[in-house]
Amino acid sequence: MLFLDAGSSSFSGSLSLEEKRLFQYIDEHQDEFVQNLAEWVAVESDSIQPQLRGEVTRMMKIAAARLQDLGAKTTLVDIGVQQLPDGQNISLPPVILAKLGEDPLKPTVCFYGHVDVMPAKIEDGWKTRPYILTEIDGNFYGRGTTDNKGPVLAWINALSTYINLNIDLPVNIKFLIEGMEESGSNGLEELIQKEKDCFFSNVDYIVISDNLWLTTKKPALTYGTRGNACFSVEVSGGEKDLHSGGVGGIINEPMSDLIALLDSLVNSSGCILIPGIYDDVIPLTEEEMKQYEQIEFDLQEYKANIGVKKILYDTKEEIFSHLWRLPSLSIHGIEGAFYEPGIKTVIPSRVTGKFSIRQVPHMDLSKVEHQVKEYLENVFSKRKSPNKLMVSMQMGAMPWVANIDDPQYEAAKKAIKRVFNQDPDMIRDGSTIPIARMFQDITEKSVLMFPLGAADDGEHSQKEKISRSNYINGTKVFASFLLEISKLHKELQKASNLKTVT
Amino acid sequence: MLFLDAGSSSFSGSLSLEEKRLFQYIDEHQDEFVQNLAEWVAVESDSIQPQLRGEVTRMMKIAAARLQDLGAKTTLVDIGVQQLPDGQNISLPPVILAKLGEDPLKPTVCFYGHVDVMPAKIEDGWKTRPYILTEIDGNFYGRGTTDNKGPVLAWINALSTYINLNIDLPVNIKFLIEGMEESGSNGLEELIQKEKDCFFSNVDYIVISDNLWLTTKKPALTYGTRGNACFSVEVSGGEKDLHSGGVGGIINEPMSDLIALLDSLVNSSGCILIPGIYDDVIPLTEEEMKQYEQIEFDLQEYKANIGVKKILYDTKEEIFSHLWRLPSLSIHGIEGAFYEPGIKTVIPSRVTGKFSIRQVPHMDLSKVEHQVKEYLENVFSKRKSPNKLMVSMQMGAMPWVANIDDPQYEAAKKAIKRVFNQDPDMIRDGSTIPIARMFQDITEKSVLMFPLGAADDGEHSQKEKISRSNYINGTKVFASFLLEISKLHKELQKASNLKTVT
């Protein structure tokens, strides 16, 4: 029964003996791979809430031990401390650097993943317990299943398959696995910078599998992401919370000020109202429009996946351009106000609104920060409130675009075709993988975003899942990719050598 | 040392022997009274959070046992169940009805109090543990110290003083003590209605001590309160929370809709923007203005007490009229959005704003409800959002005004003068004691609001306290009030009998 579920992939063309053996092994060891996922999901490695930091560190150690079992030379790198808003310092979880194979004749692929997760509580509306892997109708529900523990394990599964079958790995493998991605990858940039000429010196390709397909059925490769600038806007009044009966009507309530500030950010059509914010966004090219036309996209299915009845745009071209090529602003919540069920007639003394702007090329992060601060300070000053305003950018991550002619994009297309018998959609992603841009800028290597999860995986939601099919076939795609990139790399080297000789 | 703290009251005129004995006993038994307060504060009888309902019921039993010890005939009346927003039914805590003395020649005073409290967590910013009574510089900090466990105990202390000194109680006493005041006094109206011709039939005066003085040093009597209409405004979009990267820019986010709705309610000067809301507010009379002029009020001290540097008005007349005679609107918070420290780039699927309007005579509750709903629906329809809006009034309590010529106001003034050697401020209260209006309307008896706590007691805040002086001298004032009301009542009866004879 297990085999039927995930075995639905139809292999394209005639498989080599190696591929046959690899794919058969993967099918036959599904239960073991699922058990590994259950064990990883069971660790509440939430990097947002400081009190769970110990669990993140424990998760890093579990992942490191797994890589060591594969024979990888594994290091847990201390990346220092994090200063919390209250001034307290807490340790950052270590980053894993690992390598498997050092054959100078083989290309070296570095896989990036993260094993920290977003917060999840059963009270948030989960139908299953978020840290207990639960299979329902071929889907594994649980926090981290798709973002990003499942994909990290799929890569590990692919390698363990080679090793257990005694098939020579066609590439050298490196791993960089972190535990602070959901909090903004603290300390990572410095580490990559530091390792640029050491760990990364002989890396040829960097693969990230930390996003989703565009649809539920068709695989995709991603060549761009939006950036993200997270802001906090704090309004503080008196020294203590007050009672709305006691002072309601005679003071400027911080909450009213904050609500007005947040309401000034975006209109009902999703248009950002901060002056100048769209200035550096370059218009969509005709070539991009053509690319968008080629993508298979079912609007009804898309709406069903995200669980929304109506969206702001009707055509896929408009939708893609607003998700990939235009900035957006979302208001996430308020800290310090009453948030529980029921009634509390409080006038909170200090409230902090949280919102973020997804930026696109060629927006400049520090310019965005300046525009936001200037605008909010201006809106606030017009209210003539005696309360105190403090706007700060808590996290800033830049957008990213890759060169889709890089050989690893070609290799990934071939691997997908072999396992799924179809070409992937070439897409961008509206969300942010700060490390894609970071890796590209610092290491100057080719970066590929190679998603395993389907569009309805609900990353960050109360329904996060990965399907058995995507998890197991994803493992096969990764296994196949290693063969393909090795072949392409050799051909390229030959061509390059010939050219040199000629 | 204990005696010095609370003994600072200077008794006015020559005290009767009885009064001397009563006051001396109260001074000498301070420690015992404080210990009782500590025991009551230790019970987390939070009536807002359903999971703490058991603690509220436990508190009711503790209070009932205390009254029984005094010799009062005490009944715990079952008032049924509460339906929670999720449809679940939970028991309401019982209401205490108790009586002590049934002499037909004496007047009967019914004391109302509540022993439930607002939520309090150390994480909210308390400097002391909210459920451990902590004395600092002559103040007892803790949830419920002033609202309303301290005043309920002061009344009990006064009675136990009479009883322990074997002094005949000058009045018959009744008690109504409830455990759902902070949640809207569920079930109480029905109970008072039912007991109108039984428990309340021979009651002459109803005393409530559940508000604060206007200042920190001068006692006050309260003859009016504002009402309160608590609203929830829910905006719901898709089925699940979404990721701002994944869909930011292409959907109408429920949070943006809610923020716009909340921002439409009140302007930066505290003026409510709902059309027609001020229509039924009658203009301030010249007599009221004169009354306000007579009240001692130190603006600097007031601001220091509420912990606010600047308020909207400069004169005491403007301040009193905005607190007592004009409605106000406060936004308390949002349920369903991100509220924790840190970053969560979520687009919440269902968010509920909480706000309340303090109404004044002669605003009509159902008219206010209609105005609010119609206005918000109108604001929302202009946004052309596909999200769903649901506005509901979760609680409605009417404003109240008493006749300050009632004899018990006179008796209370005399008792205050004897203990504090000054006349009380005659004030209204900006907050809501729904039962004042309820008692008055249903029982048609005279209602007196007789505050014990000082202006800086911080009810509902993270600094809630009652001073030792107010707690202990308040006990004396209550003891003295019983003598005074008995005397006045007898005089009135004599006059009335004479009148009848003539």
Side-chain angles (χ1 to χ4, degrees):
Chain A
M1 197 180 74
L2 286 179
F3 292 17
L4 284 175
D5 273 329
S8 60
S9 60
S10 41
F11 303 124
S12 157
S14 58
L15 298 179
S16 68
L17 182 62
E18 270 174 351
E19 271 169 320
K20 274 185 193 156
R21 289 178 64 207
L22 288 165
F23 291 1
Q24 189 183 349
Y25 181 95
I26 291 166
D27 276 334
E28 288 172 359
H29 289 77
Q30 290 189 39
D31 279 357
E32 185 188 315
F33 297 152
V34 171
Q35 183 52 36
N36 292 341
L37 183 57
E39 284 163 16
W40 282 29
V41 165
V43 184
E44 194 174 349
S45 52
D46 167 350
S47 63
I48 303 279
Q49 300 184 74
Q51 73 274 23
L52 286 165
R53 187 58 48 85
E55 287 301 279
V56 183
T57 300
R58 187 163 76 85
M59 185 66 233
M60 300 313 298
K61 287 179 184 161
I62 293 170
R66 182 80 189 90
L67 294 177
Q68 244 157 348
D69 285 348
L70 290 182
K73 284 183 195 158
T74 306
T75 322
L76 281 165
V77 185
D78 180 2
I79 51 163
V81 296
Q82 177 188 19
Q83 189 171 43
L84 300 180
D86 66 3
Q88 197 198 333
N89 282 329
I90 60 166
S91 291
L92 287 165
V95 170
I96 297 171
L97 294 181
K99 47 188 175 181
L100 188 60
E102 291 182 280
D103 186 338
L105 297 175
K106 294 176 185 173
T108 299
V109 178
C110 175
F111 180 84
Y112 161 86
H114 67 90
V115 290
D116 61 314
V117 296
M118 288 292 280
K121 288 179 195 153
I122 188 91
E123 310 91 82
D124 296 341
W126 282 76
K127 287 188 181 148
T128 61
R129 292 176 63 182
Y131 295 101
I132 293 184
L133 193 76
T134 309
E135 183 169 15
I136 301 171
D137 298 335
N139 289 313
F140 299 113
Y141 290 89
R143 178 57 90 224
T145 46
T146 200
D147 183 16
N148 182 229
K149 290 174 177 175
V152 171
L153 275 170
W155 193 262
I156 290 174
N157 298 340
L159 298 185
S160 76
T161 300
Y162 275 93
I163 291 161
N164 288 326
L165 290 173
N166 273 319
I167 298 175
D168 186 42
L169 270 173
V171 299
N172 302 314
I173 298 284
K174 292 198 168 186
F175 277 96
L176 189 158
I177 297 179
E178 67 155 326
M180 287 298 288
E181 197 275 341
E182 300 295 4
S183 269
S185 292
N186 315 41
L188 194 70
E189 187 167 358
E190 297 74 7
L191 180 70
I192 301 173
Q193 200 71 258
K194 205 175 125 194
E195 294 291 343
K196 182 187 171 180
D197 299 320
C198 312
F199 183 81
F200 289 104
S201 63
N202 64 344
V203 168
D204 298 290
Y205 308 105
I206 296 171
V207 175
I208 300 168
S209 179
D210 190 21
N211 63 321
L212 301 178
W213 297 350
L214 186 64
T215 67
T216 54
K217 295 193 189 80
K218 198 173 166 202
L221 293 174
T222 305
Y223 65 95
T225 63
R226 290 195 289 190
N228 200 14
C230 294
F231 288 90
S232 77
V233 44
E234 179 191 286
V235 182
S236 53
E239 297 156 13
K240 56 185 174 186
D241 286 358
L242 293 166
H243 182 208
S244 66
V247 300
I250 63 160
I251 66 163
N252 294 83
E253 302 185 13
M255 193 66 175
S256 311
D257 285 340
L258 177 62
I259 293 289
L261 289 164
L262 295 176
D263 191 31
S264 75
L265 293 169
V266 62
N267 73 11
S268 58
S269 315
C271 180
I272 305 175
L273 302 173
I274 300 160
I277 203 91
Y278 293 98
D279 284 358
D280 297 332
V281 180
I282 52 165
L284 213 68
T285 63
E286 272 187 42
E287 202 185 343
E288 283 177 297
M289 282 301 272
K290 274 183 205 159
Q291 276 176 15
Y292 294 176
E293 280 164 26
Q294 284 163 22
I295 295 172
E296 260 179 49
F297 186 76
D298 181 331
L299 183 59
Q300 293 314 317
E301 186 196 83
Y302 178 75
K303 287 196 286 190
N305 288 346
I306 64 172
V308 165
K309 288 212 177 77
K310 203 173 173 319
I311 56 180
L312 284 160
Y313 306 99
D314 299 322
T315 69
K316 63 182 178 185
E317 290 81 2
E318 281 175 303
I319 292 169
F320 298 154
S321 66
H322 277 90
L323 275 182
W324 302 342
R325 288 284 274 104
L326 284 166
S328 66
L329 189 150
S330 298
I331 303 166
H332 309 299
I334 294 174
E335 183 186 338
F338 180 58
Y339 60 84
E340 283 171 292
I343 294 166
K344 186 177 182 183
T345 54
V346 66
I347 297 178
S349 65
R350 178 193 303 264
V351 282
T352 307
K354 313 279 179 86
F355 68 93
S356 64
I357 298 172
R358 299 277 163 179
Q359 335 93 259
V360 295
H362 304 262
M363 290 169 75
D364 180 81
L365 210 47
S366 61
K367 193 168 163 187
V368 168
E369 182 179 8
H370 178 74
Q371 286 166 333
V372 168
K373 285 186 177 176
E374 190 172 63
Y375 175 64
L376 285 178
E377 279 158 10
N378 189 30
V379 170
F380 188 67
S381 75
K382 286 189 185 140
R383 290 181 65 83
K384 303 198 186 312
S385 165
N387 294 324
K388 265 182 66 184
L389 172 70
M390 200 166 74
V391 183
S392 66
M393 191 170 84
Q394 299 207 288
M395 188 188 95
M398 286 189 290
W400 163 75
V401 185
N403 178 4
I404 58 173
D405 297 327
D406 280 344
Q408 61 171 348
Y409 278 84
E410 198 53 34
K413 278 182 197 172
K414 286 190 174 176
I416 286 169
K417 183 91 179 173
R418 291 185 97 68
V419 175
F420 289 99
N421 199 22
Q422 55 184 335
D423 290 316
D425 282 328
M426 297 303 293
I427 62 170
R428 293 202 189 190
D429 194 309
S431 48
T432 309
I433 320 287
I435 40 79
R437 169 74 178 250
M438 202 192 291
F439 276 126
Q440 187 172 290
D441 281 359
I442 301 173
T443 68
E444 294 168 28
K445 310 287 180 177
S446 164
V447 176
L448 162 66
M449 283 189 55
F450 200 159
L452 280 202
D456 60 348
D457 277 5
E459 49 176 356
H460 294 201
S461 85
Q462 303 95 323
K463 288 183 177 178
E464 183 175 346
K465 60 95 179 164
I466 194 165
S467 72
R468 179 180 284 271
S469 163
N470 282 42
Y471 180 51
I472 299 302
N473 287 323
T475 298
K476 292 177 197 166
V477 168
F478 283 158
S480 178
F481 171 74
L482 300 183
L483 291 169
E484 296 296 341
I485 188 68
S486 151
K487 274 190 262 175
L488 269 180
H489 191 78
K490 273 179 199 155
E491 282 166 26
L492 274 170
Q493 274 189 322
K494 243 185 233 170
S496 159
N497 287 346
L498 276 175
K499 218 172 160 185
T500 318
V501 173
T502 323
Chain B
M1 197 179 73
L2 287 180
F3 292 19
L4 283 176
D5 274 328
S8 59
S9 60
S10 40
F11 303 124
S12 155
S14 59
L15 298 179
S16 68
L17 181 63
E18 270 173 351
E19 272 170 319
K20 274 187 193 156
R21 290 178 63 208
L22 289 164
F23 291 0
Q24 189 183 348
Y25 181 94
I26 292 165
D27 277 334
E28 288 173 2
H29 290 77
Q30 289 189 40
D31 280 357
E32 185 188 315
F33 298 152
V34 171
Q35 182 53 35
N36 292 341
L37 182 57
E39 284 163 16
W40 282 27
V41 165
V43 184
E44 195 174 349
S45 52
D46 167 350
S47 63
I48 304 279
Q49 299 185 74
Q51 73 274 21
L52 287 166
R53 188 57 49 85
E55 286 302 279
V56 183
T57 300
R58 187 163 76 86
M59 186 65 233
M60 300 314 297
K61 290 180 183 160
I62 292 170
R66 183 78 189 91
L67 294 177
Q68 247 158 346
D69 285 348
L70 291 182
K73 284 183 195 157
T74 305
T75 321
L76 280 165
V77 184
D78 179 2
I79 51 163
V81 296
Q82 176 187 20
Q83 188 169 45
L84 300 180
D86 66 3
Q88 199 198 332
N89 282 328
I90 60 165
S91 292
L92 287 165
V95 170
I96 297 171
L97 293 182
K99 47 188 176 182
L100 188 60
E102 291 181 280
D103 186 339
L105 297 176
K106 293 176 183 170
T108 299
V109 177
C110 176
F111 180 84
Y112 161 87
H114 67 90
V115 288
D116 61 312
V117 296
M118 288 292 280
K121 288 179 196 152
I122 188 91
E123 310 90 83
D124 296 339
W126 283 75
K127 287 190 179 147
T128 62
R129 290 177 64 184
Y131 295 100
I132 293 184
L133 192 77
T134 308
E135 184 169 14
I136 300 169
D137 297 335
N139 288 314
F140 299 114
Y141 290 89
R143 178 57 90 223
T145 45
T146 199
D147 183 15
N148 179 231
K149 290 174 176 175
V152 172
L153 276 170
W155 193 261
I156 291 174
N157 298 340
L159 298 185
S160 75
T161 301
Y162 275 93
I163 291 161
N164 289 326
L165 290 173
N166 272 318
I167 299 176
D168 185 41
L169 270 173
V171 298
N172 301 313
I173 298 285
K174 291 199 167 184
F175 277 97
L176 190 158
I177 297 179
E178 67 156 324
M180 286 299 286
E181 198 273 342
E182 299 295 5
S183 269
S185 293
N186 315 41
L188 194 70
E189 187 167 0
E190 296 75 7
L191 180 70
I192 301 174
Q193 200 71 257
K194 205 175 125 197
E195 295 290 343
K196 181 187 172 180
D197 299 320
C198 311
F199 184 82
F200 288 104
S201 63
N202 64 343
V203 167
D204 298 291
Y205 307 106
I206 296 171
V207 175
I208 299 169
S209 179
D210 190 21
N211 65 320
L212 302 177
W213 298 351
L214 186 66
T215 66
T216 54
K217 294 192 189 78
K218 198 174 167 204
L221 293 174
T222 306
Y223 64 95
T225 62
R226 289 195 289 190
N228 200 13
C230 294
F231 288 89
S232 77
V233 45
E234 179 191 287
V235 181
S236 53
E239 299 156 12
K240 55 186 177 186
D241 286 358
L242 294 166
H243 183 208
S244 66
V247 300
I250 62 160
I251 66 163
N252 294 83
E253 302 184 12
M255 192 67 176
S256 310
D257 285 339
L258 178 62
I259 294 287
L261 289 164
L262 295 176
D263 191 31
S264 75
L265 294 168
V266 62
N267 74 11
S268 58
S269 314
C271 181
I272 306 176
L273 302 174
I274 299 160
I277 203 91
Y278 293 99
D279 284 357
D280 297 331
V281 180
I282 52 168
L284 213 70
T285 64
E286 271 189 39
E287 202 186 343
E288 282 177 298
M289 282 300 273
K290 273 183 203 158
Q291 276 176 15
Y292 293 176
E293 279 166 25
Q294 285 163 22
I295 295 172
E296 261 180 47
F297 187 77
D298 181 332
L299 183 59
Q300 294 313 316
E301 185 195 84
Y302 179 75
K303 288 196 288 190
N305 288 346
I306 64 172
V308 164
K309 289 212 176 77
K310 202 171 172 323
I311 57 179
L312 284 160
Y313 306 99
D314 299 321
T315 69
K316 62 182 177 184
E317 289 81 1
E318 282 175 301
I319 291 168
F320 298 153
S321 66
H322 277 91
L323 275 182
W324 302 343
R325 288 285 275 104
L326 284 166
S328 66
L329 190 151
S330 299
I331 302 166
H332 309 299
I334 294 174
E335 182 185 340
F338 180 57
Y339 60 83
E340 284 169 292
I343 293 166
K344 186 177 181 183
T345 54
V346 66
I347 298 178
S349 65
R350 178 194 303 264
V351 283
T352 307
K354 314 278 179 87
F355 68 93
S356 65
I357 298 173
R358 300 277 164 179
Q359 335 94 257
V360 294
H362 303 263
M363 291 169 74
D364 180 81
L365 209 47
S366 62
K367 193 168 164 187
V368 168
E369 182 179 8
H370 178 75
Q371 285 166 334
V372 168
K373 284 185 178 176
E374 189 172 64
Y375 175 64
L376 285 178
E377 280 158 12
N378 187 32
V379 171
F380 188 65
S381 74
K382 286 188 187 141
R383 289 181 65 82
K384 304 197 187 311
S385 165
N387 294 324
K388 265 182 65 184
L389 172 70
M390 201 166 72
V391 184
S392 66
M393 190 170 83
Q394 301 206 287
M395 188 189 93
M398 287 188 290
W400 163 74
V401 185
N403 178 3
I404 57 172
D405 296 328
D406 281 344
Q408 62 171 346
Y409 278 85
E410 197 53 37
K413 278 183 197 171
K414 287 191 173 175
I416 286 169
K417 183 91 180 172
R418 290 185 97 69
V419 175
F420 290 99
N421 199 22
Q422 55 184 334
D423 290 316
D425 283 328
M426 296 304 292
I427 62 169
R428 293 202 189 191
D429 193 309
S431 48
T432 308
I433 321 288
I435 39 81
R437 170 73 178 249
M438 202 192 291
F439 277 126
Q440 187 171 290
D441 281 358
I442 302 174
T443 68
E444 295 169 25
K445 310 286 180 179
S446 163
V447 175
L448 161 66
M449 284 190 55
F450 200 159
L452 280 203
D456 61 348
D457 277 5
E459 48 177 357
H460 295 202
S461 85
Q462 304 95 323
K463 287 182 177 177
E464 183 176 346
K465 60 95 179 162
I466 195 165
S467 72
R468 178 181 284 271
S469 162
N470 283 42
Y471 180 52
I472 300 302
N473 287 322
T475 298
K476 292 178 196 165
V477 167
F478 282 158
S480 177
F481 169 74
L482 301 182
L483 291 170
E484 296 297 341
I485 188 69
S486 151
K487 273 190 263 173
L488 268 182
H489 191 78
K490 272 178 200 156
E491 283 167 26
L492 274 171
Q493 272 189 322
K494 244 186 234 169
S496 158
N497 287 345
L498 276 176
K499 219 172 162 186
T500 317
V501 174
T502 323

